[in-house]
C-alpha cells in the first residue's frame, strides 16, 4: 500500500507542487491548510509522515508538533519541519523531539525533498 | 593711584616727583585698558561658552591627567551628571562606557587618545551608563588637545545619543528580514515548478523551451541567493548571529569548499592549487558553517574575477607563531587602486569586476569580513590591477571566538 504523507502548509502553491511531485513518486497525499485542520487529520487519518510548515494561521507548526507529540497515538509519526525560517527556535524544536528533522524550503530542489522523504519513511 | 605729588622744587626730589606722577598716569591708563580687555575677554568667553553649551553633541574636555575642565549642556543631559558634580573630577568617575553585547567596560579610548596623541573612536555598539544607571547607545570620539609646541595638554571628547538612529537601523533590518522571508516562498515555488517542467513529466520540453526554462531556474536561484545574502547581512548586523566553534580539521574545510565549487571551477577551466601546511594541523576551534561561507566567498571571487583562460588560484594554509594564515591568491583582474578602500563595503562592486561579471551582489566580501572579525580574526588583501589579488584571513591559534546568539546563517546546505 502506498505510504500516506500529510502536508500541512498554508501556501496553496507549495501544497500543489509538493502534492504533484510526491504523487508522481507513488505516495498518497493528504493536505491541510492550517494547523488546526492538520492536527485533526493527524488524529483521524494517521499518516506515515508529516511535512509541517511553521508559520500558519489558527495553530502554528510548533503547537501542532507539541500536541502530536503529547498524544501516544501520534507521537511516533516522523515529522519533517518544512519552513523558510532558519532560526534558533525552529532548530531547537526539531532537535527537542525524536524523529523530527528540519529543512529550509528555498534551499532544496524537489528531488532533494523526495530523497529526504524516502529516507524518513524508511524501507 | 589718584595720588599726585605736589611739586615745589626743581631739585632732584622735584624731578623724582615728576617721574612718579607720569608713572601714575600711565598706570591709570593701563588699568583702564586691562578692565576693558577683561570685559572683552569675558564677553568672548561667554560667547564661546554659549556656543559650547548649544552644541547638539556632548562636549567634554579634560586635562592631561583626566581632570574635567569643560562639560557642556548636552554632556549633562546625556550623562545625567551636572557640571558642578564633575568639574575638576576625573572623567572616568562619570563617563562609563560598556560594550552592548557583553556588558563589559569598553576599552578606555580617552586614555588612549591622551597617550597616543591620536584621535580615537569607541567601537560600534557602545553604551554610556547614566548617573541613574540607565544605558544609552552612543557614538563617540576623543581627540588629544595639543599646544603650539605639539605637547599634549588634554583631550576633548565628543559623543552623541544614537538611540533614534538605532531604532531606524533596527526597523530597516527587520524590514529586510521580513521582506526576505516573504520573498522566499514564491521564489521557492517558481524554482520547483520549473524543476517539474524541465523534467518533462508534464509534457515534452524541446530545445529552446528547455534552454529558457533553465534560464528561469538559474535566475530564480540567483534571487534566492540574493535573499539569503540579505538575510545573512541583517543577521550579522543585528549581532544576533551565533558563533559556535567546534574542533575541526581546517584543511578539510578548505577541501570541502573547493569541492563545492567544482562546477564553477570547471566552467572557468580554473586551476586551483591547495598548499597544505607541511605538518598536518591539529583540529582547531572553528564554526564550520561560518568559516566555509567566508572562505567560499573569497574562493568564488578569485575564480570569477580571473580573466578568460588564465584562471589559477593558489590557496595556502599555514600555522604561524600566533595564528593560522590562509591566503587565496589569484592572477585575475585585480582591484583598481582608487577602489581598494571600498572593497569590504556593503553592495560595493569594483568597476572592472562589474564589466567582467554582470552578476554579483557586492555582499560576499562584506559578509566574509563580518564573519571573520566578529569571531576574533582578521581579513585583508593585496592587489595589483591586471596582475591579481591575494586575500588573507588570519585566525588566532585559539580558534574562532564563541558568541551566543539566536540565529544561524541561511542558505547552508547540508
Amino acid at each position: 500500500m502506498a505510504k500516506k504523507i500529510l502536508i500541512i502548509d498554508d501556501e496553496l502553491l507549495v501544497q500543489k507542487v509538493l502534492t504533484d511531485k510526491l504523487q508522481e513518486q507513488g505516495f498518497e497525499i493528504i493536505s491541510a491548510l492550517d494547523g488546526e485542520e492538520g492536527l485533526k487529520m493527524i488524529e483521524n487519518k494517521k499518516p506515515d509522515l508529516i511535512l509541517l510548515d511553521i508559520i500558519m494561521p489558527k495553530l502554528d507548526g510548533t503547537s501542532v508538533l507539541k500536541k502530536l507529540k503529547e498524544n501516544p497515538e501520534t507521537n511516533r509519526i516522523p515529522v519533517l519541519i518544512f519552513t523558510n525560517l532558519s532560526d534558533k527556535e525552529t532548530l531547537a524544536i526539531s532537535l527537542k523531539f525524536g524523529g523530527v528533522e528540519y529543512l529550509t524550503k528555498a534551499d532544496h530542489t524537489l528531488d532533494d525533498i523526495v530523497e529526504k522523504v524516502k529516507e524518513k519513511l524508511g524501507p | 593711584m589718584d595720588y599726585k605729588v605736589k611739586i615745589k622744587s626743581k631739585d632732584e626730589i622735584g624731578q623724582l616727583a615728576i617721574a612718579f606722577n607720569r608713572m601714575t598716569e600711565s598706570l591709570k591708563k593701563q588699568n583702564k585698558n586691562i578692565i576693558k580687555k577683561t570685559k572683552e575677554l569675558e564677553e568672548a568667553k561667554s560667547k564661546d561658552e554659549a556656543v559650547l553649551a548649544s552644541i547638539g553633541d556632548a562636549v567634554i574636555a579634560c586635562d592631561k591627567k583626566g581632570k574635567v575642565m569643560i562639560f557642556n549642556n548636552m554632556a549633562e543631559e546625556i550623562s545625567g551628571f551636572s557640571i558642578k558634580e564633575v568639574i575638576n573630577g576625573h572623567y572616568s568617575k562619570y563617563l562609563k562606557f560598556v560594550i552592548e553585547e557583553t556588558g563589559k567596560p569598553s576599552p578606555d579610548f580617552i586614555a588612549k587618545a591622551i597617550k597616543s596623541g591620536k584621535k580615537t573612536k569607541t567601537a560600534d555598539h557602545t553604551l554610556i551608563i547614566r548617573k541613574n544607571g540607565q544605558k544609552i547607545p552612543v557614538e563617540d570620539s576623543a581627540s588629544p588637545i595639543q599646544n603650539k609646541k605639539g605637547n599634549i595638554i588634554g583631550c576633548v571628547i565628543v559623543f552623541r545619543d544614537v538611540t533614534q538612529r538605532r531604532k531606524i537601523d533596527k526597523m530597516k533590518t527587520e524590514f529586510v528580514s521580513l521582506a526576505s522571508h516573504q520573498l522566499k516562498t514564491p521564489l521557492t515555488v517558481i524554482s520547483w515548478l520549473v524543476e517539474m517542467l524541465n523534467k518533462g513529466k508534464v509534457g515534452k520540453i524541446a530545445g529552446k523551451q528547455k534552454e529558457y526554462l533553465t534560464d528561469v531556474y538559474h535566475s530564480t536561484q540567483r534571487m534566492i541567493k540574493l535573499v539569503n545574502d540579505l538575510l545573512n547581512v541583517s543577521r550579522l548586523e543585528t549581532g544576533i548571529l551565533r558563533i559556535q566553534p567546534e574542533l575541526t580539521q581546517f584543511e578539510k574545510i578548505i577541501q570541502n569548499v573547493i569541492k563545492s565549487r567544482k562546477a564553477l571551477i570547471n566552467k572557468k577551466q580554473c586551476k586551483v592549487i591547495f598548499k597544505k601546511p607541511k605538518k598536518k594541523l591539529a583540529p582547531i576551534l572553528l564554526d564550520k558553517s561560518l568559516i566555509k561561507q567566508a572562505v567560499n566567498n573569497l574562493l568564488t571571487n578569485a575564480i570569477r574575477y580571473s580573466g578568460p583562460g588564465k584562471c589559477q588560484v593558489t590557496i595556502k594554509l599555514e600555522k604561524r607563531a600566533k595564528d593560522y594564515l590562509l591566503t587565496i591568491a589569484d592572477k585575475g583582474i585585480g582591484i583598481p587602486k582608487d577602489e581598494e578602500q571600498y572593497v569590504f563595503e556593503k553592495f560595493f562592486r569594483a568597476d572592472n569586476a562589474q564589466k567582467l561579471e554582470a552578476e554579483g551582489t557586492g555582499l560576499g566580501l562584506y559578509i566574509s569580513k563580518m564573519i571573520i572579525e566578529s569571531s576574533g580574526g582578521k581579513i585583508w588583501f593585496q592587489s595589483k590591477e591586471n596582475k591579481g589579488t591575494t586575500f588573507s584571513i588570519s585566525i588566532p591559534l585559539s580558534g574562532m571566538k564563541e558568541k551566543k546568539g539566536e540565529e544561524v546563517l541561511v542558505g547552508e546546505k547540508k
Side-chain angles (χ1 to χ4, degrees):
Chain A
M1 210 178 73
K3 300 255 183 176
K4 204 190 297 169
I5 300 172
L6 169 63
I7 304 171
I8 312 177
D9 198 312
D10 62 331
E11 286 281 341
L12 259 176
L13 278 175
V14 170
Q15 287 261 10
K16 185 176 148 188
V17 194
L18 283 176
T19 305
D20 287 358
K21 181 71 189 181
L22 291 168
Q23 272 175 350
E24 171 203 299
Q25 297 290 315
F27 296 109
E28 184 191 337
I29 306 298
I30 49 176
S31 53
L33 279 170
D34 64 68
E36 231 173 68
E37 194 192 343
L39 201 62
K40 264 186 215 148
M41 283 195 150
I42 294 171
E43 282 157 10
N44 299 333
K45 309 236 162 140
K46 303 276 158 34
D48 298 299
L49 174 72
I50 303 163
L51 295 187
L52 181 65
D53 188 19
I54 291 293
I55 302 176
M56 281 183 301
K58 291 187 188 166
L59 199 64
D60 67 10
T62 319
S63 315
V64 172
L65 191 64
K66 248 188 218 154
K67 290 209 162 136
L68 86 95
K69 284 292 170 188
E70 277 163 15
N71 182 348
E73 279 187 45
T74 56
N75 67 3
R76 283 165 183 273
I77 304 172
V79 179
L80 257 181
I81 293 186
F82 208 49
T83 175
N84 264 333
L85 291 175
S86 50
D87 54 14
K88 184 189 168 199
E89 227 170 285
T90 331
L91 274 169
I93 302 161
S94 57
L95 295 174
K96 208 165 94 189
F97 300 105
V100 178
E101 245 182 282
Y102 148 83
L103 277 185
T104 42
K105 292 177 201 171
D107 303 322
H108 295 273
T109 61
L110 285 173
D111 283 344
D112 281 351
I113 293 159
V114 169
E115 203 181 298
K116 199 88 210 160
V117 163
K118 284 183 175 165
E119 189 188 308
K120 275 257 128 195
L121 280 168
Chain B
M1 252 178 271
D2 290 329
Y3 188 77
K4 258 192 176 181
V5 182
K6 285 179 185 147
I7 312 157
K8 282 175 188 158
S9 61
K10 288 180 179 170
D11 57 9
E12 282 176 354
I13 294 179
Q15 281 171 12
L16 194 69
I18 292 167
F20 179 79
N21 285 344
R22 279 195 192 131
M23 202 167 80
T24 325
E25 271 311 306
S26 116
L27 272 174
K28 233 178 176 174
K29 258 188 207 157
Q30 272 185 30
N31 198 24
K32 247 189 197 163
N33 230 349
I34 286 172
I35 292 169
K36 198 180 150 210
K37 285 275 180 223
T38 312
K39 220 175 154 194
E40 275 172 23
L41 268 174
E42 268 170 1
E43 272 167 15
K45 193 177 165 229
S46 69
K47 212 167 154 189
D48 282 350
E49 276 175 351
V51 170
L52 205 56
S54 322
I55 293 177
D57 290 346
V59 180
I60 296 163
C62 58
D63 69 7
K64 212 174 146 186
K65 286 183 176 156
K67 211 165 77 174
V68 177
M69 321 286 285
I70 293 171
F71 202 78
N72 79 342
N73 294 10
M74 209 38 151
E76 287 186 309
E77 199 172 302
I78 296 178
S79 72
F81 289 101
S82 72
I83 183 161
K84 279 189 193 134
E85 288 172 280
V86 299
I87 208 85
N88 290 327
H90 195 270
Y91 70 83
S92 63
K93 262 167 84 183
Y94 315 103
L95 299 178
K96 292 196 169 80
F97 298 102
V98 292
I99 299 161
E100 188 169 16
E101 288 94 350
T102 58
K104 285 181 188 153
S106 38
D108 192 341
F109 66 104
I110 302 168
K112 197 178 155 200
I114 297 174
K115 208 175 153 201
S116 68
K118 285 182 187 135
K119 188 178 169 186
T120 58
K121 272 171 86 174
T122 51
D124 289 340
H125 301 281
T126 298
L127 305 174
I128 188 171
I129 304 180
R130 305 187 71 219
K131 190 185 177 187
N132 63 9
Q134 188 194 358
K135 288 171 188 159
I136 300 182
V138 286
E139 229 181 43
D140 35 357
S141 67
S143 302
I145 308 171
Q146 287 174 330
N147 63 12
K148 277 183 186 158
K149 283 180 190 162
N151 297 325
I152 295 161
I153 53 168
C155 182
V156 56
I157 306 132
V158 179
F159 59 92
R160 65 170 62 109
D161 180 351
V162 291
T163 312
Q164 212 49 37
R165 225 195 59 204
R166 281 287 188 85
K167 269 189 197 153
I168 294 168
D169 275 352
K170 194 162 168 264
M171 275 163 63
K172 203 178 71 190
T173 310
E174 281 170 358
F175 172 75
V176 170
S177 172
L178 181 82
S180 309
H181 277 311
Q182 293 306 319
L183 280 170
K184 271 175 108 176
T185 304
L187 284 172
T188 309
V189 173
I190 297 173
S191 153
W192 286 350
L193 286 169
V194 173
E195 190 188 337
M196 294 275 272
L197 285 174
N198 236 347
K199 285 258 155 70
K201 293 217 170 152
V202 284
K204 212 165 183 248
I205 303 293
K208 273 276 174 202
Q209 290 174 337
K210 186 152 192 135
E211 187 191 316
Y212 289 167
L213 282 173
T214 309
D215 292 343
V216 175
Y217 184 77
H218 285 307
S219 291
T220 316
Q221 288 304 313
R222 222 176 109 190
M223 292 242 283
I224 291 175
K225 166 95 172 56
L226 171 66
V227 170
N228 281 345
D229 279 352
L230 283 173
L231 265 173
N232 285 338
V233 165
S234 88
R235 285 176 181 195
L236 285 160
E237 284 182 349
T238 42
I240 52 175
L241 191 84
R242 192 163 27 145
I243 302 174
Q244 233 174 2
E246 49 188 314
L247 284 172
T248 313
Q249 196 73 46
F250 205 166
E251 295 100 318
K252 210 161 190 180
I253 294 278
I254 293 160
Q255 280 166 331
N256 282 341
V257 173
I258 299 172
K259 223 165 146 188
S260 73
R261 304 302 334 186
K262 201 100 217 163
L264 181 69
I265 292 171
N266 289 340
K267 189 178 147 204
K268 287 282 243 171
Q269 295 178 321
C270 198
K271 197 174 160 197
V272 177
I273 304 156
F274 178 27
K275 290 187 179 162
K276 285 187 225 169
K278 285 182 196 108
K279 227 177 96 192
K280 194 180 166 196
L281 297 180
I284 58 168
L285 284 171
L286 296 172
D287 182 308
K288 280 189 200 167
S289 136
L290 291 180
I291 191 79
K292 264 190 202 163
Q293 166 96 244
V295 175
N296 180 43
N297 290 343
L298 298 186
L299 177 62
T300 308
N301 282 350
I303 301 168
R304 287 179 73 192
Y305 301 117
S306 287
K310 50 172 187 177
C311 183
Q312 184 180 321
V313 178
T314 310
I315 306 171
K316 195 174 161 198
L317 177 66
E318 55 183 316
K319 187 180 174 180
R320 303 195 299 183
K322 285 181 180 165
D323 54 17
Y324 297 95
L325 177 70
L326 174 71
T327 51
I328 298 180
D330 64 51
K331 296 184 172 175
I333 57 171
I335 299 158
K337 194 109 215 122
D338 57 337
E339 296 190 290
E340 279 187 354
Q341 51 177 319
Y342 308 113
V343 157
F344 287 112
E345 274 180 19
K346 192 163 44 172
F347 300 118
F348 176 77
R349 296 189 70 216
D351 278 344
N352 55 350
Q354 287 189 48
K355 273 182 204 141
L356 186 69
E357 284 274 351
E359 277 183 36
T361 58
L363 289 170
L365 287 176
Y366 178 73
I367 290 174
S368 293
K369 186 180 161 78
M370 294 276 273
I371 290 174
I372 296 301
E373 289 186 350
S374 57
S375 59
K378 288 192 187 105
I379 183 168
W380 68 96
F381 66 90
Q382 277 167 320
S383 185
K384 215 168 193 178
E385 215 176 339
N386 296 319
K387 290 269 190 247
T389 307
T390 302
F391 270 90
S392 308
I393 289 177
S394 79
I395 309 255
L397 289 185
S398 54
M400 286 167 90
K401 249 188 340 206
E402 187 182 349
K403 192 172 147 274
K404 296 207 162 35
E406 290 160 18
E407 310 244 22
V408 292
L409 282 187
V410 289
E412 271 296 311
K413 288 186 191 174
K414 319 156 266 186

